[in-house]
Amino acid sequence: MLILGIETSCDDTSVAVLKTEDERLEVLSNIVSSQIKQHAPYGGIVPLLAAREHEKNLPVVLDEALRATRYTIRDIDLIAVTSGPGLIMSLVRGVNFAKELAEKNNKPLIGINHMEGHIYSNWLPESSKALQLYSSIAFPALCLIVSGGHTELVLMHDHGKYALVGRTVDDASGEAFDKIARLIGLEYPGGPAISHEAEKFDATRYTLHVTLPRPMLHSKDFNFSFSGLKTSVLYLVRDLKVPLENVRTEIAHEAQKAIVDVLISKTMKAAKKFQPKSILLAGGVSANKRLRSRLAEEVSRLTPKTYYLEPALQYTTDNAAMIACAAYFKAKNSKLQDLSFESVEPDANWEIV
Ligand code: KG4
Ligand code: ZN
């Protein structure tokens, strides 16, 4: 089966072609057109600008994604589009484009939840040559979903069957990275910028000895809170007695450490309670090196042995391959002819649980 994925929920325009054969998946193309340059001067995403860029980019990105394969739109068996959650104007552009494409070429269309797409990025093979057998992921799987808009712990009992374990009560972890980066004069997006800055940290030249809070670290539930951390950085920067340049690396290092500490602590607490067979990491923040290595280390210590999986780096941030992948697992269990283009509508607040 050939699945064409389309993703426009936020500021990336992406189209992918996924081939599935004998229960194996192969990403034939995954084109991502980033709008970072356009939004960077504003320190965050401007929704109107994002929608306009999607409209302009979609036909170009589609063309590129198909050209990278030996197939044409006629060969596609199913079109999958992100229909929520996300920025409504961005979602509308993607969904309308997908509907027109499906109608014109008489193809079935399926609407995919963006967060479910992030979860399914774990099923994608690292390179097009290395086909991955997805059956290695055992259920129940505990998923830590960390992105710019979401921070959730979800227990996945089977394909498409989710239960909420915990979520942020205020800012998402990616949002915390982005806001803190801005406060310490780093560019957008803040996650990679803070991570890069923190890598320069040298403990022997540690002058500020800053300790940021780990909000809700000891709360009895599995929820998160990150807005207090951002406020602490705000006051710290406001009251600095030394130039920000001198201590930017230390603050970046400590902020990253604080965010990762809380994410790991809650995930391990949930792992002990729910005893999942697998632990999966997903969402843009899953690109964070510290988070990946710390979580892998903690999971390796669990008894009984728990399978740990993180998405290949190219599938951590928004992309259409993950949307096509989620569609494959949905389509596997239903008849393609039952899917029709009329039933797909954008929903900015669509939650999987
Ligand atoms: O999943 P994603 O691409 O878009 C949403 O669905 O929100 O996630 C974007 C978020 C941004 O907040 C960005 O700063 C963060 O992921 N991010 C990172 C890293 N790369 C991207 N956060 C921490 N470390 C990174 N290396
Ligand atoms: Zn995302």
Side-chain angles (χ1 to χ4, degrees):
M1 177 155 67
L2 282 177
I3 305 175
L4 184 91
I6 301 174
E7 155 66 40
T8 65
S9 67
C10 195
D11 62 331
D12 288 308
T13 316
S14 181
V15 179
V17 180
L18 179 74
K19 185 180 177 185
T20 69
E21 204 171 13
D22 297 335
E23 310 212 319
R24 290 195 298 187
L25 311 173
E26 186 180 2
V27 180
L28 299 185
S29 65
N30 182 41
I31 310 296
V32 183
S33 169
S34 163
Q35 302 177 9
I36 285 176
K37 275 203 190 103
Q38 281 89 338
H39 298 279
Y42 305 95
I45 294 151
V46 184
L48 248 170
L49 183 61
R52 212 167 55 206
E53 288 292 311
H54 284 313
E55 190 142 24
K56 199 172 78 192
N57 295 338
L58 272 164
V60 184
V61 178
L62 168 70
D63 196 44
E64 206 181 320
L66 284 170
R67 261 192 296 118
T69 72
R70 56 191 174 87
Y71 299 106
T72 70
I73 189 73
R74 279 190 297 280
D75 302 311
I76 298 293
D77 299 296
L78 172 66
I79 299 176
V81 63
T82 304
S83 50
L87 299 171
I88 189 63
M89 285 187 290
S90 290
L91 291 167
V92 167
R93 293 309 184 281
V95 169
N96 285 351
F97 182 81
K99 275 187 180 178
E100 273 174 37
L101 196 66
E103 200 170 1
K104 202 167 131 204
N105 296 283
N106 200 23
K107 303 289 178 191
L109 176 70
I110 184 169
I112 295 294
N113 182 292
H114 179 78
M115 305 322 291
E116 208 170 1
H118 274 303
I119 292 175
Y120 277 100
S121 62
N122 281 287
W123 271 260
L124 289 170
E126 178 118 34
S127 78
S128 60
K129 287 185 192 77
L131 301 185
Q132 185 177 304
L133 213 56
Y134 62 78
S135 55
S136 52
I137 301 175
F139 296 117
L142 178 67
C143 312
L144 172 64
I145 313 170
V146 279
S147 74
H150 284 73
T151 294
E152 286 172 0
L153 272 168
V154 165
L155 202 57
M156 186 177 184
H157 290 287
D158 201 346
H159 292 290
K161 292 199 172 67
Y162 307 97
L164 183 70
V165 173
R167 62 161 43 124
T168 182
V169 296
D170 42 52
D171 291 351
S173 49
E175 196 178 352
F177 271 111
D178 294 336
K179 287 178 174 170
I180 292 170
R182 202 172 174 180
L183 290 171
I184 60 173
L186 292 175
E187 77 223 12
Y188 176 84
I194 288 190
S195 171
H196 183 70
E197 188 68 31
E199 273 173 27
K200 298 185 217 155
F201 178 70
D202 174 358
T204 59
R205 288 165 57 201
Y206 201 17
T207 52
L208 197 61
H209 295 287
V210 47
T211 310
L212 293 169
R214 270 74 174 149
M216 292 178 76
L217 189 67
H218 302 294
S219 71
K220 290 208 166 59
D221 54 21
F222 301 99
N223 290 335
F224 306 91
S225 163
F226 293 103
S227 79
L229 186 60
K230 166 201 67 193
T231 313
S232 298
V233 176
L234 176 81
Y235 292 142
L236 178 73
V237 172
R238 190 194 62 187
D239 301 336
L240 271 180
K241 305 271 183 299
V242 291
L244 178 60
E245 302 87 89
N246 298 3
V247 290
R248 183 178 286 128
T249 307
E250 288 184 37
I251 302 177
H253 169 78
E254 173 61 11
Q256 175 175 256
K257 221 163 149 235
I259 295 171
V260 170
D261 280 355
V262 178
L263 292 173
I264 301 273
S265 157
K266 288 289 166 100
T267 306
M268 298 322 289
K269 193 170 140 187
K272 278 168 198 145
K273 174 161 181 196
F274 297 101
Q275 303 269 304
K277 293 211 168 72
S278 320
I279 294 184
L280 313 181
L281 185 58
V285 180
S286 73
N288 189 274
K289 278 193 210 154
R290 187 183 178 93
L291 176 61
R292 290 167 89 94
S293 64
R294 287 266 290 105
L295 191 55
E297 191 188 319
E298 291 287 333
V299 177
S300 73
R301 289 206 202 107
L302 280 177
T303 46
K305 241 185 159 17
T306 312
Y307 188 68
Y308 170 67
L309 211 68
E310 54 194 18
L313 272 178
Q314 70 262 39
Y315 304 125
T316 51
T317 48
D318 293 350
N319 68 87
M322 68 185 197
I323 301 303
C325 187
Y328 167 65
F329 286 96
K330 292 223 174 295
K332 226 162 75 102
N333 301 320
S334 55
K335 290 193 194 110
L336 286 188
Q337 54 271 34
D338 290 348
L339 306 166
S340 82
F341 54 85
E342 282 100 354
S343 58
V344 178
E345 290 303 333
D347 178 357
N349 303 311
W350 183 13
E351 300 285 353
I352 49 170
V353 272

